[in-house]
Amino acid sequence: LAVLACGFFWVGVIDFVHMLSYRGMNLIPLGGGNTSTATWLAARVVQVAAMVLAPLLARRAVRFWQAFLAFGALALALLVAIFAGIVPTTYVEGSGVTPFKRGVEFAIVAFALAAIVAVSRLRPDVLHPNDRQLLAWSLGFLALSELAFSAFRDVFDSMSLLGHLLKIWSFWLIFEAAV
């Protein structure tokens, strides 16, 4: 839970930047479709990293502040790379998502599926079977969410809405497992 908590704090930070960079918000000077799409990807990368690492580190003592700072370093590095223009274009107005974005989405899906396997292999003395199931379902909804986002053509279309709804459901299941 400590690994998930540390990772998801930074997911929330990046998702907040994602919201502020959304087209029409006019709060971040470099905002727009590409920036909001890139920050979305950054948040999902941190999310899937936390969800892959959590079951792998479940039997080890994890120092909270080390995990917090490690995820923070990853999150800040991704944000700096986005705003410095190092990250390739993820979204082009009128055309939709780029092959780079689709590739990252498919990598996130692959890691989510690998995390399902890792979570399902945890023994009952490490993670209660009900919590294992909730986390596995959360990862499944994360994978479906990313597949929906790989297919949208405009940030306001139905696939984008579906992706956001699936993400909410994924987060709810993590909440259920943690609480």
Side-chain angles (χ1 to χ4, degrees), residues 5 27 29 39 90 100-101 103 117 135 148:
L27 294 172
T39 53
T90 56
F100 170 77
K101 188 220 186 255
V117 172
L135 290 176

Side-chain angles (χ1 to χ4, degrees), residues 113-166:
L113 296 175
I116 290 172
V117 172
V119 165
S120 67
R121 289 185 175 172
L122 290 175
R123 293 189 329 251
D125 63 317
V126 176
L127 186 65
H128 189 276
N130 186 53
D131 295 335
R132 237 184 9 237
Q133 187 176 23
L134 289 169
L135 290 176
W137 277 103
S138 172
L139 286 156
F141 280 106
L142 168 63
L144 291 173
S145 172
E146 295 312 300
L147 289 174
F149 280 112
S150 72
F152 79 80
R153 294 194 49 79
D154 184 82
V155 293
F156 296 107
D157 73 12
S158 59
M159 292 306 282
S160 180
L161 173 63
L162 177 62
H164 281 91
L165 293 174
L166 290 166

Side-chain angles (χ1 to χ4, degrees), residues 20-84:
L20 294 178
S21 67
Y22 214 75
R23 183 174 64 199
M25 290 293 286
N26 300 324
L27 294 172
I28 294 181
L30 299 173
N34 183 57
T35 303
S36 64
T37 302
T39 53
W40 172 272
L41 282 180
R44 301 297 70 80
V45 166
V46 175
Q47 179 181 351
V48 80
M51 295 193 78
V52 166
L53 289 172
L56 296 178
L57 298 173
R59 293 186 184 103
R60 293 187 171 86
V62 176
R63 295 182 190 264
F64 181 83
W65 288 108
Q66 288 177 337
F68 185 80
L69 293 174
F71 281 112
L74 173 61
L76 293 175
L78 290 169
L79 288 172
V80 166
I82 290 166
F83 287 103

